[in-house]
Amino acid sequence: MGRVRWSVLDRSRTRRGESHQRALRETVEFARQAEALGFHRFWVAEHHGVPGVAGSAPTVLAAAVAAATSRIRVGTGGVMLPNHQPLVVAEQFGVLESLYPGRIDMGLGRSVGFTGGVRRALGHGKEDADEFSEQLGELLGYFTGDQPKHPGVHAWPAEGLGVPAFVLATGAGADVAARFGLPLVIAAVRGERRMLDAIGRYRDGFRPTVWGDEPYVVISGTVLIADTTEQARRLLVPEAWSMAYSRMRGEFPPLMPPHDVPSPESMSERERRLFDEAMQGHVHGTEDEVADALDGLLARTGADEFLVHTSTYDRAARLDSHRRLARLAGLAAEPVVVRG
């Protein structure tokens, strides 16, 4: 575990009964805590029209996080490029890098709005994701100053700045990252076997460019450490139910306490199947169990970095889990002050 970097992604999940505003403030506070624990990066996400996710404007939130911290790298996991014009994205990251030089990451994804209504409100459709490679090339060209699509157009103050770019990918997205010479960020959303296959294609097809000399793999996943295996598993329940709910009803609800989640016996057959699927594939348990699981996963993937994206109702338990993980990974932690 000591040979890789450890970073954090927070999606600004809301909890039942709390406002989106509080969730965003909690994200900024969590970033301070992650920095004190010694994590390498802190990334925020982009979701639109989702009741359970407050993070809708990642570059704005990244600016708040960068202002509240001093050393940790800050970025997006990610900006969904099909929702935006590459010129505007380049300008936004150019401003961030100008204000917080040497600390900004540009994580980029190809997802579009979660529902048809959101996609219509954004002015985009599912087919726009097919233009990701073209948009990515245009965006990167604004930083190097040689984008050919709009001659004479410059993305000040981005031009000439070296903001690291990352591709958030599943499936074919790994090939895009390889072609552009960019780091790959990937999760086992379709199972570990498919993730390993995508990582292999990425490494085999990687082409050095001005953006990267060699492959760099960031794997992302949930890590939950508690006193017992059962306690850790229980902490997974709120996010798993939210995921199952979203697949049935088209929206992520706010996280609820584990004891309020319907029991498997009271779920419909489809609900139970989706819930069981959402409970799979997470690294959780005691410190020893998690250390063994992570050592195995890192060995199988050869990853250079692990981006932890743990969500649970109990924020204190989540912070304790990250504190234990930082200790296992040998991070240079400072005392974490929890503000009221």
Side-chain angles (χ1 to χ4, degrees):
M1 289 178 60
R3 70 168 180 81
V4 304
R5 289 169 168 164
W6 294 88
S7 300
V8 175
L9 167 67
D10 184 37
R11 291 186 294 142
S12 305
R13 294 289 270 118
T14 60
R15 274 66 176 172
R16 190 176 65 183
E18 77 173 22
S19 67
H20 288 83
Q21 291 78 15
R22 181 185 173 190
L24 292 171
R25 292 192 293 268
E26 291 284 355
T27 289
V28 176
E29 176 62 16
F30 189 32
R32 290 182 56 258
Q33 295 163 349
E35 179 176 72
L37 288 172
F39 286 94
H40 182 60
R41 310 180 203 275
F42 189 92
W43 282 7
V44 297
E46 175 182 341
H47 294 269
H48 299 282
V50 180
V53 184
S56 57
T59 54
V60 177
L61 185 53
V65 167
T69 55
S70 60
R71 299 179 311 281
I72 196 169
R73 295 195 64 86
V74 177
T76 55
V79 165
M80 296 302 145
L81 202 49
N83 293 335
H84 309 280
Q85 292 298 325
L87 172 64
V88 175
V89 175
E91 291 170 337
Q92 291 172 344
F93 279 97
V95 170
L96 284 170
E97 176 65 18
S98 299
L99 295 175
Y100 307 101
R103 295 182 56 208
I104 300 301
D105 300 323
M106 183 168 59
L108 305 163
R110 65 187 294 272
S111 296
V112 292
F114 192 59
T115 65
V118 170
R119 290 191 290 273
R120 288 189 294 273
L122 291 169
H124 296 283
K126 288 184 177 181
E127 66 280 0
D128 291 335
D130 298 333
E131 306 300 320
F132 178 67
S133 291
E134 180 181 341
Q135 286 188 301
L136 180 60
E138 181 183 344
L139 171 62
L140 298 179
Y142 284 120
F143 285 90
T144 56
D146 58 2
Q147 65 82 24
K149 186 172 183 179
H150 302 288
V153 176
H154 299 270
W156 309 119
E159 190 167 311
L161 297 182
V163 180
F166 298 73
V167 172
L168 281 65
T170 57
D175 303 317
V176 175
R179 186 165 66 253
F180 282 90
L182 295 173
L184 172 71
V185 183
I186 190 166
V189 294
R190 294 186 176 91
E192 184 177 308
R193 182 69 263 165
R194 289 195 180 185
M195 179 179 71
L196 293 175
D197 289 344
I199 291 173
R201 291 201 317 276
Y202 166 71
R203 291 197 175 107
D204 291 342
F206 186 88
R207 185 179 68 185
T209 68
V210 297
W211 294 95
D213 296 328
E214 58 186 22
Y216 189 90
V217 175
V218 183
I219 58 172
S220 184
T222 295
V223 179
L224 257 173
I225 306 175
D227 289 338
T228 68
T229 308
E230 182 54 36
Q231 287 176 0
R233 186 183 185 282
R234 187 168 175 78
L235 291 169
L236 295 171
V237 166
E239 180 68 21
W241 173 247
S242 182
M243 178 66 71
Y245 187 99
S246 74
R247 293 179 64 184
M248 292 180 294
R249 298 171 177 84
E251 65 177 39
F252 282 89
L255 297 174
M256 63 175 66
H259 58 76
D260 286 343
V261 172
S263 66
E265 295 76 18
S266 67
M267 296 179 188
S268 69
E269 182 178 346
R270 181 168 181 245
E271 286 175 336
R272 187 164 54 252
R273 175 177 56 81
L274 293 173
F275 176 75
D276 288 343
E277 289 176 1
M279 288 289 290
Q280 301 302 311
H282 307 294
V283 178
H284 70 287
T286 64
E287 292 186 17
D288 288 343
E289 290 170 334
V290 166
D292 288 344
L294 288 174
D295 282 341
L297 180 58
L298 293 171
R300 293 191 298 276
T301 60
D304 302 285
E305 185 170 341
F306 198 113
L307 181 67
V308 182
H309 65 233
T310 302
S311 291
T312 190
Y313 179 83
D314 188 336
R315 288 192 175 95
R318 180 185 63 172
L319 177 59
D320 181 62
S321 176
H322 281 71
R323 183 186 290 111
R324 295 182 190 215
L325 176 60
R327 184 167 58 244
L328 284 177
L331 304 186
E334 303 171 357
V336 177
V337 178
V338 180
R339 294 179 176 175

